[in-house]
């Protein structure tokens, strides 16, 4: 815990430098602004609110649950033209097509997932699974992701996520496909299924668990309070979950996100996303090497105002963290599971 060392990340086939003593250094750098606490429940000028007019002139319905619509500023479009041929191998390009959607979790702007009820979170999970199946029928990769908080680049406080379906496997997906395929070939068991079993037994990096799921700070975590959400059974895709597993997923997500908010008593920023077996043409292929999982990447390090910056050594050499995963897991594990905003109720 006190001496620097490197740890191997088998999912990405790379290494992270762990320097736990560095968290003690004095800080005179950037201080972030805490997220606003006065977000209005409904704002007709907020393009994600029910009944509001979006940038393209369309008016949102007065939705009462989840609401999915095409992204008005998509990074991927289904009818993009082919790139020009290249005259040199160092200047390669390839087609990139797809669709981008936005999904609102709830009609109220002042709610986040940890403050939503279990049935409301379950409705979000159902919508995720439906989109994964619908878009995955034709696209090889469907990336569900949530950027929460202005610190993570979120441009709107309304609770929402994005879903991008692409005609290609993105870099992280290709890398995880290779490492998981190699692990199954060499060891005869899916990597993350074996990893979940090991972490459930060791418990030193365990944050929360239930009958179907566990959340750990991974042994190879990069971000200070990074977590990995894993099913206990072998399941390849989000749409393969049973009803009971979706219920228990809603519960464990709520518990994790309450702990995140309770850590610094602030609406905890993060980027999260689901990774599962590729879809589209891969639905006909053997994808047993894949294990469904969700990554949570929160930037906060010391407090609600001090974040971890991935610069310098991290950008030019390899990633480095300032406390051990075991220290982070112990701190998260010890936090209460009643949200700090509800303790006085």
């Amino acid at each position: 815990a006190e001496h620097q060392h490197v740890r191997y990340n088998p999912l990405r086939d790379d290494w992270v430098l762990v320097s736990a003593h560095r968290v003690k250094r004095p800080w005179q750098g950037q201080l972030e602004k805490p997220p606003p606490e006065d977000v209005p429940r409904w704002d007709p000028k907020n393009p994600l609110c029910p009944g509001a007019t979006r940038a393209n002139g369309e008016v949102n319905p007065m939705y009462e649950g989840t609401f999915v619509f095409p992204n008005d500023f998509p990074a991927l479009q289904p009818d993009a033209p082919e790139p020009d041929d290249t005259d040199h191998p160092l200047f390669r390009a390839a087609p990139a097509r797809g669709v981008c959607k936005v999904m609102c979790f709830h009609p109220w702007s002042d709610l986040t997932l940890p403050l939503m009820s279990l049935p409301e979170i379950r409705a979000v999970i159902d919508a995720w699974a439906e989109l994964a199946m619908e878009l995955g029928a034709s696209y090889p990769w469907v990336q569900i992701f949530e950027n929460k908080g202005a610190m993570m680049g979120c441009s709107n406080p309304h609770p929402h996520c994005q879903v991008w379906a692409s005609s290609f496997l993105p870099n992280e997906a290709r890398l995880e496909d290779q490492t998981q395929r190699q692990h199954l070939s060499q060891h005869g068991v899916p990597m993350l299924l074996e990893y979940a079993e090991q972490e459930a037994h060791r418990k030193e990096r365990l944050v929360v668990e239930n009958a179907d799921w566990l959340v750990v700070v991974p042994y190879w975590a990069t971000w200070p309070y990074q977590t990995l959400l894993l099913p206990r059974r072998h399941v390849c895709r989000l749409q393969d979950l049973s009803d009971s597993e979706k219920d228990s997923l809603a519960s464990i997500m709520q518990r994790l996100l309450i702990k995140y908010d309770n850590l610094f008593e602030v609406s905890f920023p993060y980027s999260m996303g689901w990774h599962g077996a590729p879809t589209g043409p891969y639905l006909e292929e053997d994808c047993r090497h894949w294990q469904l999982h969700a990554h949570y990447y929160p930037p906060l390090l010391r407090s609600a105002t001090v974040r971890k910056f991935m610069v310098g050594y991290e950008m030019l050499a390899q990633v480095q963290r300032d406390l051990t995963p075991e220290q982070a897991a112990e701190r998260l594990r010890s936090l209460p599971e009643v949200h700090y905003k509800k303790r006085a109720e």
Side-chain angles (χ1 to χ4, degrees):
E2 294 298 323
H3 301 286
Q4 69 269 13
H5 58 281
V6 293
R7 296 190 182 191
Y8 180 62
N9 180 348
L11 197 57
R12 300 196 75 258
D13 189 26
D14 63 11
W15 295 79
V16 57
L17 173 61
V18 182
S19 311
H21 56 284
R22 274 174 52 85
V23 79
K24 300 175 183 177
R25 74 191 192 279
W27 182 261
Q28 295 182 335
Q30 173 73 23
L31 296 179
E32 308 293 337
K33 292 181 179 180
E37 296 283 349
D38 57 348
V39 176
R41 178 154 293 182
W42 182 82
D43 181 355
K45 297 180 181 179
N46 186 328
L48 298 186
C49 280
T53 302
R54 303 203 308 273
N56 62 359
E58 292 193 22
V59 178
N60 295 334
M62 296 300 294
Y63 64 91
E64 298 180 350
T66 59
F67 171 51
V68 179
F69 62 92
N71 194 315
D72 297 328
F73 303 95
L76 294 163
Q77 296 176 326
D79 54 357
E82 297 272 342
D84 294 334
D85 291 335
T86 181
D87 61 355
H88 194 282
L90 293 178
F91 301 93
R92 296 166 60 191
R97 300 185 178 93
V99 296
C100 299
K101 294 182 180 290
V102 176
M103 181 182 134
C104 296
F105 296 155
H106 196 280
W108 295 355
S109 292
D110 59 344
L111 275 190
T112 55
L113 281 169
L115 293 170
M116 290 166 56
S117 69
L118 287 177
E120 289 168 340
I121 299 173
R122 169 63 196 267
V124 170
I125 294 167
D126 286 339
W128 281 345
E130 290 168 8
L131 282 168
M133 179 174 290
E134 172 193 336
L135 298 174
S138 53
Y139 286 103
W141 190 254
V142 180
Q143 184 59 65
I144 298 168
F145 65 97
E146 178 194 4
N147 296 324
K148 182 186 175 210
M151 195 184 301
M152 295 309 292
C154 183
S155 60
N156 193 307
H158 193 93
H160 72 286
C161 72
Q162 298 189 55
V163 184
W164 293 10
S166 62
S167 62
F168 55 91
L169 286 188
N171 293 339
E172 293 296 310
R174 286 193 298 109
L175 187 54
E176 288 194 3
D177 185 69
Q178 293 168 9
T179 56
Q180 290 180 97
R181 187 185 300 274
Q182 184 178 26
H183 187 93
L184 180 64
S185 175
Q186 293 179 348
H187 302 281
V189 60
M191 177 198 296
L192 292 181
L193 182 63
E194 181 178 10
Y195 179 67
E197 292 171 349
Q198 285 289 321
E199 290 287 32
H201 173 71
R202 296 168 186 256
K203 296 190 181 305
E204 57 187 331
R205 284 168 295 274
L206 192 65
V207 178
V208 287
E209 63 178 329
N210 61 26
D212 300 313
W213 301 88
L214 67 158
V215 176
V216 301
V217 177
Y219 177 79
W220 53 80
T222 297
W223 295 93
Y225 292 97
Q226 175 180 336
T227 55
L228 185 64
L229 172 56
L230 294 161
R232 291 184 183 271
R233 77 171 177 96
H234 186 204
V235 54
C236 291
R237 299 178 177 93
L238 194 61
Q239 54 267 44
D240 297 335
L241 296 175
S242 67
D243 282 342
S244 63
E245 286 170 330
K246 291 175 183 175
D247 285 339
S248 57
L249 174 56
S251 173
I252 205 165
M253 282 176 54
Q254 184 187 63
R255 293 169 63 196
L256 169 65
L257 297 180
I258 286 174
K259 285 179 177 290
Y260 269 161
D261 280 10
N262 285 344
L263 179 61
F264 299 128
E265 294 198 347
V266 69
S267 185
F268 205 69
Y270 57 75
S271 284
M272 70 80 65
W274 285 98
H275 282 175
T279 48
Y282 293 89
L283 292 170
E284 304 301 321
E285 297 188 8
D286 184 358
C287 291
R288 286 176 300 161
H289 54 291
W290 271 92
Q291 174 74 333
L292 176 70
H293 58 282
H295 296 283
Y296 284 84
Y297 299 134
L300 291 178
L301 173 59
R302 300 167 180 235
S303 69
T305 61
V306 177
R307 66 176 297 177
K308 165 70 177 178
F309 287 91
M310 290 293 179
V311 294
Y313 190 86
E314 290 89 351
M315 295 179 70
L316 296 165
Q318 71 180 37
V319 293
Q320 177 267 334
R321 62 180 290 118
D322 297 329
L323 75 166
T324 68
E326 294 75 27
Q327 291 167 334
E330 182 179 10
R331 188 166 184 189
L332 288 172
R333 187 168 56 243
S334 66
L335 290 166
E337 295 188 8
V338 176
H339 199 278
Y340 71 92
K341 288 186 175 181
K342 296 184 176 181
R343 287 178 199 160
E345 294 181 2

